[in-house]
Amino acid sequence: MLNTPTSSLDRTLAAMQLMDSALPTGAFSHSFGFETYMHRGVITDAESFAQWLEAFCTEQLTFTDAVIVREVFKAEEFAEIIDLDHVVRAQAVPVQVRNAGRTMGIRMLEIASEGYPSQWLSEYQGCVEKRSLAAHPALVWALVARGLGFGVDEAVAHHVYATVISLIQNAVRAVPIGQNAGQRLATRAQQWVSEATRASAELGLEDIGAITPGLEIAQMQHENQRARMFMS
């Protein structure tokens, strides 16, 4: 894989853009199942949302996104990236979550390919355009991070934390929990992100998707929720 030499500052600025809450484009439209718990009356305030977010981070994000990033860094040939994409698509049981990941991933891929091109990223974009690939945001970000020379732990933490922040911002307006409570929660979430980063280092390809069934069930139930704010 050909990498474009970058300075530490360049990498930091790239991460600030691609891990900003504005990306992946469309993240503000997805609750990834916490709206189902709102509908049930389980999530009603900042603390009950925090309980859900901790579970989501230490379970679903650890056993999906964090492992996906690590597997991209482990790959020695581009064909392994395509194989990983197939695994990622297969493990996403809830239809809304699978579709949301692909939509957001494709948007991120377009932006990243223009601003931070690399050999594998370009090859992957070509495959996504020709075939029905998952194009998961974690996979796209990992290709960018690898191309820019990020360390794997740093790449995992960036992605997981960015996802957590997007969900907190969605909860600020949906639950609602308030901006100050959201910032306090963002501070608490750093511990969960650290746990996810450390735990994922012990996991591998065969662990992708091994998450708490209740989270996925809630995501599937969201598909038939009568009234909702979010697409997933």
Side-chain angles (χ1 to χ4, degrees):
M1 181 176 182
L2 300 178
N3 297 330
T4 301
T6 57
S7 68
S8 176
L9 179 58
D10 289 336
R11 289 194 295 272
T12 298
L13 291 173
M16 289 174 68
Q17 178 191 2
L18 296 176
M19 296 293 96
D20 184 80
S21 59
L23 289 174
T25 305
F28 61 85
S29 299
H30 302 280
S31 75
F32 291 99
F34 81 71
E35 189 176 25
T36 300
Y37 291 97
M38 288 174 53
H39 179 71
R40 295 178 190 168
V42 176
I43 293 178
T44 58
D45 54 18
E47 187 54 39
S48 52
F49 174 73
Q51 293 175 9
W52 175 86
L53 185 62
E54 180 179 7
F56 185 81
C57 183
T58 57
E59 292 285 340
Q60 190 154 1
L61 288 180
T62 299
F63 284 84
T64 53
D65 296 44
V67 182
I68 291 167
V69 173
R70 290 188 179 278
E71 289 300 311
V72 170
F73 272 74
K74 289 179 185 177
E76 297 180 357
E77 298 180 355
F78 179 72
E80 296 176 59
I81 301 300
I82 301 302
D83 290 341
L84 175 61
D85 183 284
H86 294 325
V87 172
V88 172
R89 184 173 181 82
Q91 66 81 37
V93 178
V95 174
Q96 288 185 345
V97 171
R98 183 166 64 248
N99 291 341
R102 187 171 193 276
T103 300
M104 291 188 291
I106 289 175
R107 291 170 179 170
M108 177 178 275
L109 181 58
E110 293 174 354
I111 294 171
S113 295
E114 292 175 5
Y116 312 100
S118 65
Q119 181 178 327
W120 279 14
L121 192 66
S122 297
E123 289 184 41
Y124 185 64
Q125 184 179 30
C127 290
V128 169
E129 292 174 351
K130 296 177 182 178
R131 302 156 63 181
S132 182
L133 299 182
H136 194 281
L139 199 160
V140 175
W141 159 247
L143 287 172
V144 176
R146 177 171 167 165
L148 291 174
F150 279 89
V152 62
D153 285 348
E154 188 179 9
V156 170
H158 269 304
H159 176 76
V160 174
Y161 189 63
T163 304
V164 165
I165 293 301
S166 291
L167 288 167
I168 289 174
Q169 291 185 344
N170 290 351
V172 164
R173 58 192 172 89
V175 177
I177 63 175
Q179 292 288 351
N180 286 346
Q183 287 303 314
R184 295 188 185 99
L185 186 51
T187 301
R188 290 175 61 185
Q190 292 175 22
Q191 178 182 345
W192 309 332
V193 173
S194 294
E195 291 175 6
T197 302
R198 288 193 296 269
S200 63
E202 305 298 323
L203 304 175
L205 186 64
E206 68 279 3
D207 297 301
I208 293 179
I211 65 175
T212 302
L215 292 171
E216 287 188 323
I217 291 172
Q219 290 163 354
M220 288 186 280
Q221 289 174 332
H222 186 271
E223 297 171 16
N224 299 308
Q225 192 165 304
R226 182 174 181 180
R228 63 190 190 187
M229 293 177 59
F230 297 96
M231 295 173 63
S232 72

